[in-house]
């Protein structure tokens, strides 16, 4: 709640299930039903009252310490929120709150103004404590092991889909619970689409192989990309593409330290790719923060001018995508430390040809 | 767009990826990035202009027929929307549009007022045409086959998680692509939680077994629940619970016909459960519409007073949940026909004891 005070907000409505879990330890997936945590600050008493709005269908929330307001499918949760809020004050609302709830809350005038209040929670989630960092490291160590397994699955004729569909069982064998996002397995020209979904494409000698995968382990996410060459030495051009991406990845990781801005980190990688003549083929931001979710707010991009801070975790993932031909991306997760950064992924990055 | 006119809306911003797919045939998963289809009606010319807002990272959308406005991670999509909309007119916005976009769109005054415009698209999606109904039937036929497979997996000591984790491979073997929602496999007292997630609980003689599962096949969803008794004859009380739920399911299905309201269907099932003395243990609405998504707008509940119409598909899923003891739910999908309804699930519903 200190974050709320700093933002000058006395009341906020949190709708992101992951943020509610972060704040209360209570986990629930509401689908289309209303679900929110209302936090109201009493500035004089320096206390915060928490009210959790739960459909009766949701798991029992009485252990959260919050006041719990329950309702069923025939009741209007907006009217219940209206009973709780301070109508004459601004309300911070979560960035994920859907229009189906936000517009009726506005019509019911549950507050004097509505602002995005997410930064308060996002900021707290962005800085990981020691326990969280240990869990982040463990998830990435598992991902390193999974990458070795993925590599071992490569043989002529195997399909992207076959490899991708075996990964979840491997993650579970390694102690993780789930994917942190839909795995990307791309052969050959498919690697030129940064968000390619695994399909029936078969692996052939001369293809690049791009794996962008991550797991959830004890609620925390990993995310790593490696690109291999399969069955043949790469051409000079492909070798240049690979080495350019690798240098961009390593140069960006080398400059991360408290005080350096997200934009400077992005530009360090981007300049190397531009100088090599591939600037227009690096079509996305350099990275994203990560933690309980694979993508967390505050991206590593040329427009994000804030300095990084110790305890933040994010990806460094430059890429070059040549449409119709091939693509290379190399991604690690890093933790900002007191005087630099720790790269969580240990899986090798040197150019590798798999025979 | 006739639906838009009926609602008196000249412009609407659609943000639900599934609705955009329904309207344009273009599929994309935007995660936290901005993604929307803007539709503007020219009342005089009786034409509609469609503009699709896509990050450059998204798959190529040039085949959609819509005007495509692209942007990258460093550009502000709200400013691009502001260039397209008619600022002096109301704008219908999609119910899933997140506050992170809706509040900035309001601040930028891209329209004179903001209303929920989803009903226009939801209404079109609710009435399935002949091709869609065939796909719905095929998905439910696959689900019937999967239920037989699930039943065959029951043996003393097996865990909920073991059965649930094998289901996706079985769906794929049967020709489906994916789950339509996280499968529910509940043994014994776990069945008293309608949304229980499969865990390490082992099956023991005397347990009820509740399967609530569904697949996606050619983009359309199935969803069915069956409850079995395992390893022992049920007690008189448990038998009464089962038969009450079965009667509620069948009575509700029997009255579905054009003109009957969703509320009447809900109340038909609810009254049977109340009359048997279990009213307070039926804690949710009777059902939900279904199609491209497992849960679509317009639920089967006591507060939904609209009459059902031919071509609508929804679930009929009464349940009785006795906390700490057991639970029973029986669910079918139905299609409203010209003079009644067609039950898509053929899997038997009589009380079954598995030895």
């Amino acid at each position: 709640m200190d974050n709320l005070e700093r933002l000058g907000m006395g009341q906020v409505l949190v709708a992101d299930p992951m943020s509610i879990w972060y704040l209360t330890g209570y986990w629930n997936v509401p689908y289309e039903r209303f679900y929110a945590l209302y936090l109201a600050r009493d500035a004089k008493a320096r206390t915060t009252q928490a009210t959790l709005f739960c459909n009766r269908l949701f798991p029992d929330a009485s252990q959260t310490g919050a006041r719990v307001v329950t309702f069923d499918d025939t009741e209007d949760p907006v009217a219940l929120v209206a009973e709780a809020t301070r109508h004459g004050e601004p309300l911070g609302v979560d960035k994920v709150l859907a229009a189906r709830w936000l517009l009726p809350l506005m019509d019911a005038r549950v507050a004097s103004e509505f602002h995005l209040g997410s930064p308060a929670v996002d900021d707290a989630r962005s800085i990981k404590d020691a326990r969280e960092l240990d869990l982040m490291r463990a998830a990435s160590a598992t991902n390193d092991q999974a990458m070795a397994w993925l590599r071992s699955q490569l043989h002529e004729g195997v399909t992207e889909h076959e490899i991708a569909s075996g990964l979840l069982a491997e993650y579970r064998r390694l102690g993780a619970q789930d994917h942190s996002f839909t795995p990307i397995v791309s052969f050959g020209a498919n690697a030129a689409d940064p968000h390619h979904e695994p399909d029936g494409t078969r692996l052939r000698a001369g293809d690049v192989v791009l794996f962008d995968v991550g797991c959830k382990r004890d609620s925390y996410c990993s995310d790593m990309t490696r690109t291999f060459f399969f069955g043949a030495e790469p051409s000079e051009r492909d070798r240049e593409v690979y080495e350019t991406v690798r240098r961009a990845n390593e140069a960006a990781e080398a400059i991360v330290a408290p005080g350096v801005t997200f934009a400077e980190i992005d530009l360090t990688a981007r300049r190397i790719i531009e100088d090599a003549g591939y600037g227009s083929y690096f079509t996305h931001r350099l990275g994203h923060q990560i933690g309980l979710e694979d993508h967390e707010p505050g991206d590593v991009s040329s427009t994000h001018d804030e300095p990084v801070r110790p305890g933040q975790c994010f990806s460094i993932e430059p890429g070059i995508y040549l449409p119709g031909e091939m693509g290379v991306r190399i991604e690690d997760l890093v933790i900002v430390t007191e005087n630099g950064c720790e790269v969580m992924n240990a899986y090798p990055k040197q150019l590798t040809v798999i025979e």
Side-chain angles (χ1 to χ4, degrees), chain A residues 18-49:
Chain A
M18 195 59 90
S19 290
I20 295 175
W21 182 82
Y22 179 83
L23 293 165
T24 68
Y26 175 76
W27 177 244
N28 170 51
V29 181
Y31 297 102
E32 74 272 28
R33 293 182 168 96
F34 185 75
Y35 177 46
L37 177 71
Y38 170 68
L39 299 173
R41 180 84 181 155
D42 182 332
K44 218 162 34 181
R46 301 184 144 270
T47 57
T48 299
Q49 164 108 45

Side-chain angles (χ1 to χ4, degrees), chain A residues 220-239:
Chain A
Y220 284 81
C221 295
S222 59
D223 187 348
M224 170 172 54
T225 308
R226 289 293 183 270
T227 307
F228 303 101
F229 292 92
F230 180 78
E233 284 293 322
S235 66
E236 268 316 297
R237 201 272 319 266
D238 288 0
R239 185 177 289 273

Side-chain angles (χ1 to χ4, degrees), chain A residues 57-78:
Chain A
L57 270 185
F58 300 163
D60 177 38
S62 55
Q63 299 305 309
T64 56
R67 186 169 77 99
V68 180
V69 174
T70 58
F71 49 90
D72 68 28
D73 285 343
T74 67
E75 291 174 278
D76 176 19
V78 169

Side-chain angles (χ1 to χ4, degrees), chain A residues 125-317:
Chain A
R125 279 176 57 178
S126 175
I127 308 292
K128 275 73 176 172
D129 65 22
R131 185 192 66 91
E132 290 182 292
L133 291 176
D134 279 346
L135 296 174
M136 290 296 295
R137 290 186 189 100
S140 278
T142 299
N143 214 22
D144 279 350
Q145 293 176 282
M147 187 60 73
W149 177 85
L150 286 166
R151 182 189 157 156
S152 75
Q153 300 303 301
L154 294 173
H155 58 85
E156 185 129 13
V158 69
T159 69
E160 294 170 353
H161 189 263
E162 282 164 1
I163 294 184
S165 64
L167 180 58
L168 182 57
E170 178 64 13
Y171 274 139
R172 292 204 165 133
R173 202 184 62 75
L174 294 167
Q177 285 76 53
D178 204 350
H179 297 291
S180 54
F181 59 94
T182 306
I184 297 174
V185 176
S186 305
F187 298 159
N190 292 346
D193 171 5
H195 283 173
H196 175 69
E197 290 198 17
D199 61 25
T201 303
R202 292 187 185 281
L203 182 60
R204 295 174 313 178
D207 282 346
V208 292
V209 174
L210 187 154
F211 292 123
D212 185 351
V213 301
C215 65
K216 276 206 155 188
R217 183 173 182 129
D218 297 327
S219 302
Y220 284 81
C221 295
S222 59
D223 187 348
M224 170 172 54
T225 308
R226 289 293 183 270
T227 307
F228 303 101
F229 292 92
F230 180 78
E233 284 293 322
S235 66
E236 268 316 297
R237 201 272 319 266
D238 288 0
R239 185 177 289 273
E240 179 186 69
V241 166
Y242 187 94
E243 293 297 350
T244 301
V245 173
R246 187 184 55 73
R247 283 190 296 120
N249 167 283
E250 294 179 355
E253 291 176 359
I255 71 148
V256 176
V260 175
T261 68
F262 287 99
E264 288 171 305
I265 299 166
D266 180 281
L267 290 173
T268 297
R270 200 165 299 278
R271 214 169 289 127
I272 289 172
I273 293 174
E274 283 171 358
D275 288 350
Y278 294 102
S280 61
Y281 302 103
F282 176 21
T283 47
H284 54 75
R285 62 187 177 189
L286 183 64
H288 54 84
Q289 293 191 54
I290 184 167
L292 292 167
E293 287 170 293
D294 179 44
H295 285 192
E296 297 201 338
D299 60 1
V300 189
S301 79
S302 60
T303 57
H304 186 189
D305 283 328
E306 287 180 295
V308 305
R309 288 176 291 163
Q312 288 180 322
C313 299
F314 49 83
S315 67
I316 302 275
E317 47 179 310

